[in-house]
Amino acid sequence: MSAPRPGPSLRAIPEGDTRERLICGDCGFVQYENPKIVVGSVVHVEGKVLMCRRAIEPSRGLWTLPAGYMELGETAIEGARREAWEEARADIAIDALLAVYNIPRIGQVQLIWRARLATPGYSAGPESLEVALFGWDEIPWTETAFPSVRWALRHAREVGDRAEFAPRGNPEGEAASG
Protein backbone atom coordinates (compact mmCIF):
# COMPACT_ATOMS: atom_id res chain seq x y z
CA MET A 1 0.00 0.00 0.00
CA SER A 2 1.49 3.33 -1.03
CA ALA A 3 1.46 6.46 1.12
CA PRO A 4 -1.18 9.04 0.21
CA ARG A 5 0.04 11.94 -1.88
CA PRO A 6 0.01 15.33 -0.19
CA GLY A 7 -2.01 17.03 -2.93
CA PRO A 8 -1.81 20.76 -3.66
CA SER A 9 0.74 22.11 -1.22
CA LEU A 10 3.03 24.46 -3.16
CA ARG A 11 2.23 28.11 -3.77
CA ALA A 12 3.34 29.23 -7.23
CA ILE A 13 2.08 30.97 -10.35
CA PRO A 14 1.00 28.29 -12.85
CA GLU A 15 2.17 28.64 -16.43
CA GLY A 16 -0.10 31.01 -18.34
CA ASP A 17 -1.63 32.41 -15.12
CA THR A 18 -1.06 35.68 -13.27
CA ARG A 19 -1.93 34.70 -9.69
CA GLU A 20 -0.25 32.55 -7.13
CA ARG A 21 -2.20 29.30 -6.59
CA LEU A 22 -1.91 26.07 -4.62
CA ILE A 23 -0.31 23.45 -6.88
CA CYS A 24 0.45 19.76 -6.42
CA GLY A 25 4.22 19.28 -6.81
CA ASP A 26 3.72 15.69 -8.01
CA CYS A 27 1.10 16.00 -10.74
CA GLY A 28 0.76 19.77 -11.34
CA PHE A 29 -2.93 19.92 -10.32
CA VAL A 30 -3.96 23.51 -9.62
CA GLN A 31 -6.40 24.12 -6.78
CA TYR A 32 -8.37 27.25 -7.59
CA GLU A 33 -9.84 29.20 -4.70
CA ASN A 34 -12.94 31.07 -5.78
CA PRO A 35 -15.52 33.18 -3.96
CA LYS A 36 -18.54 31.53 -2.37
CA ILE A 37 -21.99 32.57 -3.56
CA VAL A 38 -24.50 33.47 -0.86
CA VAL A 39 -28.18 33.58 -1.82
CA GLY A 40 -30.95 35.06 0.29
CA SER A 41 -34.07 37.14 0.36
CA VAL A 42 -35.87 40.03 1.95
CA VAL A 43 -39.29 38.44 2.45
CA HIS A 44 -42.18 40.91 2.72
CA VAL A 45 -45.27 39.84 4.66
CA GLU A 46 -48.11 42.34 5.12
CA GLY A 47 -45.82 45.37 5.27
CA LYS A 48 -43.23 43.66 7.48
CA VAL A 49 -39.98 41.78 6.88
CA LEU A 50 -39.27 38.18 7.89
CA MET A 51 -36.08 37.80 9.93
CA CYS A 52 -34.39 34.85 11.63
CA ARG A 53 -32.44 34.73 14.89
CA ARG A 54 -29.36 32.60 14.11
CA ALA A 55 -28.94 29.27 15.92
CA ILE A 56 -25.48 28.73 14.41
CA GLU A 57 -22.14 30.51 14.28
CA PRO A 58 -21.06 32.93 13.13
CA SER A 59 -23.22 35.49 14.93
CA ARG A 60 -25.36 33.01 16.87
CA GLY A 61 -28.27 34.79 18.54
CA LEU A 62 -28.27 37.75 16.16
CA TRP A 63 -30.91 38.54 13.54
CA THR A 64 -30.47 37.96 9.83
CA LEU A 65 -32.39 37.44 6.62
CA PRO A 66 -32.95 33.89 5.37
CA ALA A 67 -29.75 33.34 3.40
CA GLY A 68 -26.84 30.97 2.99
CA TYR A 69 -24.43 29.33 0.60
CA MET A 70 -25.68 28.24 -2.81
CA GLU A 71 -25.34 24.50 -3.43
CA LEU A 72 -23.97 22.78 -6.51
CA GLY A 73 -26.70 21.85 -8.97
CA GLU A 74 -29.15 24.60 -8.05
CA THR A 75 -29.95 28.00 -9.50
CA ALA A 76 -29.60 31.16 -7.42
CA ILE A 77 -33.39 31.41 -7.10
CA GLU A 78 -33.66 27.75 -6.06
CA GLY A 79 -30.96 28.39 -3.47
CA ALA A 80 -32.74 31.45 -2.05
CA ARG A 81 -36.00 29.48 -1.83
CA ARG A 82 -34.21 26.54 -0.14
CA GLU A 83 -32.52 28.83 2.39
CA ALA A 84 -35.88 30.46 3.26
CA TRP A 85 -37.29 26.98 3.87
CA GLU A 86 -34.30 25.76 5.89
CA GLU A 87 -34.12 28.81 8.11
CA ALA A 88 -37.71 30.01 8.34
CA ARG A 89 -39.86 27.13 7.04
CA ALA A 90 -41.14 29.73 4.59
CA ASP A 91 -42.29 28.84 1.08
CA ILE A 92 -41.40 31.99 -0.83
CA ALA A 93 -42.05 33.43 -4.27
CA ILE A 94 -39.18 35.47 -5.69
CA ASP A 95 -40.13 38.87 -7.09
CA ALA A 96 -36.86 40.44 -8.31
CA LEU A 97 -33.13 40.58 -7.74
CA LEU A 98 -32.70 43.27 -5.10
CA ALA A 99 -28.92 43.43 -4.73
CA VAL A 100 -25.53 41.97 -5.58
CA TYR A 101 -22.97 42.54 -2.81
CA ASN A 102 -19.26 41.88 -3.32
CA ILE A 103 -17.37 41.11 -0.13
CA PRO A 104 -13.84 40.15 -1.16
CA ARG A 105 -12.51 40.28 2.42
CA ILE A 106 -14.40 37.04 3.16
CA GLY A 107 -14.54 35.71 -0.41
CA GLN A 108 -18.29 36.13 -0.94
CA VAL A 109 -20.66 37.38 -3.59
CA GLN A 110 -24.17 37.78 -2.20
CA LEU A 111 -27.30 37.67 -4.37
CA ILE A 112 -30.26 39.01 -2.41
CA TRP A 113 -33.78 38.75 -3.79
CA ARG A 114 -37.02 40.56 -2.98
CA ALA A 115 -39.67 37.97 -2.12
CA ARG A 116 -43.05 37.30 -0.54
CA LEU A 117 -44.65 34.25 1.03
CA ALA A 118 -46.02 31.87 -1.62
CA THR A 119 -48.06 30.05 1.01
CA PRO A 120 -48.99 31.33 4.48
CA GLY A 121 -46.90 30.39 7.47
CA TYR A 122 -43.35 30.32 8.76
CA SER A 123 -41.52 28.93 11.78
CA ALA A 124 -37.97 28.45 12.98
CA GLY A 125 -35.99 25.91 11.00
CA PRO A 126 -32.98 24.03 12.37
CA GLU A 127 -30.59 26.96 11.75
CA SER A 128 -32.81 29.51 13.55
CA LEU A 129 -33.69 30.03 17.21
CA GLU A 130 -36.80 31.96 16.20
CA VAL A 131 -38.31 33.85 13.29
CA ALA A 132 -40.36 37.01 13.44
CA LEU A 133 -41.90 39.75 11.34
CA PHE A 134 -40.61 43.28 11.85
CA GLY A 135 -41.95 46.63 10.69
CA TRP A 136 -39.30 49.17 9.71
CA ASP A 137 -39.28 50.82 13.16
CA GLU A 138 -39.16 47.42 14.91
CA ILE A 139 -36.10 45.96 13.14
CA PRO A 140 -33.43 45.07 15.75
CA TRP A 141 -30.75 47.13 13.99
CA THR A 142 -28.17 46.77 16.78
CA GLU A 143 -28.66 42.99 16.83
CA THR A 144 -28.22 42.25 13.12
CA ALA A 145 -25.70 39.55 12.28
CA PHE A 146 -23.93 41.14 9.31
CA PRO A 147 -23.62 44.59 7.67
CA SER A 148 -25.08 43.15 4.43
CA VAL A 149 -28.34 42.44 6.30
CA ARG A 150 -28.65 46.16 7.03
CA TRP A 151 -27.72 47.00 3.43
CA ALA A 152 -30.42 44.69 2.04
CA LEU A 153 -33.09 45.99 4.41
CA ARG A 154 -32.28 49.59 3.46
CA HIS A 155 -32.21 48.73 -0.25
CA ALA A 156 -35.56 46.93 0.04
CA ARG A 157 -37.09 50.01 1.66
CA GLU A 158 -35.51 52.25 -1.01
CA VAL A 159 -37.05 50.34 -3.95
CA GLY A 160 -40.34 49.77 -2.16
CA ASP A 161 -42.99 48.18 -4.37
CA ARG A 162 -41.52 49.39 -7.66
CA ALA A 163 -41.84 46.77 -10.38
CA GLU A 164 -38.66 47.83 -12.15
CA PHE A 165 -35.41 48.90 -10.58
CA ALA A 166 -31.73 48.21 -11.02
CA PRO A 167 -30.31 45.78 -8.46
CA ARG A 168 -28.34 47.58 -5.80
CA GLY A 169 -24.68 47.02 -4.93
CA ASN A 170 -22.44 47.67 -1.97
CA PRO A 171 -23.12 51.02 -0.34
CA GLU A 172 -20.40 53.58 -1.06
CA GLY A 173 -17.30 52.84 0.98
CA GLU A 174 -18.47 49.33 1.91
CA ALA A 175 -16.67 47.24 -0.74
CA ALA A 176 -14.51 45.18 1.62
CA SER A 177 -16.80 44.63 4.61
CA GLY A 178 -19.86 42.51 4.98
Side-chain angles (χ1 to χ4, degrees), residues 19 21 27 31 38 76 82 125 132 136 141-142 147 152 164 169-170:
R19 291 179 179 254
R21 314 273 185 192
C27 70
Q31 181 174 319
V38 172
R82 176 187 49 75
W136 183 255
W141 294 104
T142 61
E164 293 185 26
N170 295 41

Side-chain angles (χ1 to χ4, degrees), residues 96-174:
L97 181 62
L98 176 66
V100 177
Y101 302 130
N102 292 283
I103 310 173
R105 178 183 60 80
I106 55 175
Q108 289 183 359
V109 174
Q110 299 183 1
L111 304 174
I112 307 297
W113 305 88
R114 184 172 69 178
R116 59 182 166 69
L117 289 179
T119 57
Y122 57 88
S123 64
E127 296 179 3
S128 299
L129 297 170
E130 65 180 304
V131 294
L133 296 176
F134 293 98
W136 183 255
D137 295 331
E138 303 165 325
I139 293 171
W141 294 104
T142 61
E143 297 177 54
T144 55
F146 313 106
S148 57
V149 171
R150 294 186 294 278
W151 303 346
L153 290 168
R154 288 185 181 114
H155 287 148
R157 183 172 172 97
E158 180 184 300
V159 302
D161 292 333
R162 281 188 266 165
E164 293 185 26
F165 57 89
R168 301 318 196 238
N170 295 41
E172 182 126 359
E174 298 286 349

